Amino acid sequence: MLIKLAILFSGNGSNLENILEKLHQKTIRGNTYEVVLCLCNKKNAFGIQRAKKYGLESVIVEHENFSSREEFDQVLVEKIQQSGADLTILAGFMRILSPVFTKNIKAINLHPSLLPLFKGAHAIEESFKSDMKVAGVSVHWVNEELDGGKIIAQKAFEKEEMNFDEFEEKIHNLEYEILPNSVVKIFEKQCN
């Protein structure tokens, strides 16, 4: 079965490139994955260059050009629906999405903490500074609540004696593992 993916990103695009490397035009357990849309809300994001390495032109939709979150989300919905994507992946897409998006698009998000703890944009720092002995990453379904959708997968590790750079690197390495695996598992379940 051919599975079409849309990836939304805002910045560096390391998780975008990870998905392209591990899933784009690859067949895994009978399903072939193709990224049909790379969409970014910042025209100078480095992720745009990463997508080009795979022959993909990113669609740029700058949120600043819209008077409301709903107007911006409506354009996102249209672009994703036009692409025919079966699943949308938020890979460092730094926008809170309105019901205009969440009620029309099947999407998952990667978050750098063990949800429901440390929601929002400062999760890595908050998790690092917390008294918790473990930290980790989560993949969850996107709904109206910020980082509040049903959890699909989580990976944890013991914090031990790490400095912040080591901690952040560990988080990113887990992200690179969990996100493509979560996509594969979602479609394995649907096909069985």
Side-chain angles (χ1 to χ4, degrees), residues 20-40:
L20 290 170
E21 185 184 311
K22 291 184 178 158
L23 295 182
H24 182 54
Q25 298 180 332
K26 303 262 192 314
T27 301
I28 301 163
R29 297 186 205 116
N31 289 327
T32 301
Y33 296 88
E34 183 167 355
V35 175
V36 294
L37 176 67
C38 296
L39 189 147
C40 185

Side-chain angles (χ1 to χ4, degrees), residues 2 24 52 81 110 140:
L2 177 63
H24 182 54
K52 278 185 180 161
Q81 288 176 341
L110 174 65
H140 65 92

Side-chain angles (χ1 to χ4, degrees), residues 85-136:
D86 300 301
L87 180 69
T88 297
I89 301 164
L90 307 185
F93 189 64
M94 304 309 280
R95 300 293 302 155
I96 297 171
L97 296 160
S98 73
V100 169
F101 183 96
T102 59
K103 292 200 182 325
N104 290 294
I105 299 296
K106 187 169 114 179
I108 63 172
N109 183 44
L110 174 65
H111 187 73
S113 79
L114 292 172
L115 291 172
L117 300 170
F118 314 117
K119 295 180 179 184
H122 305 291
I124 295 177
E125 293 88 353
E126 290 172 10
S127 176
F128 178 73
K129 289 177 181 169
S130 80
D131 287 340
M132 288 185 61
K133 300 299 177 205
V134 293

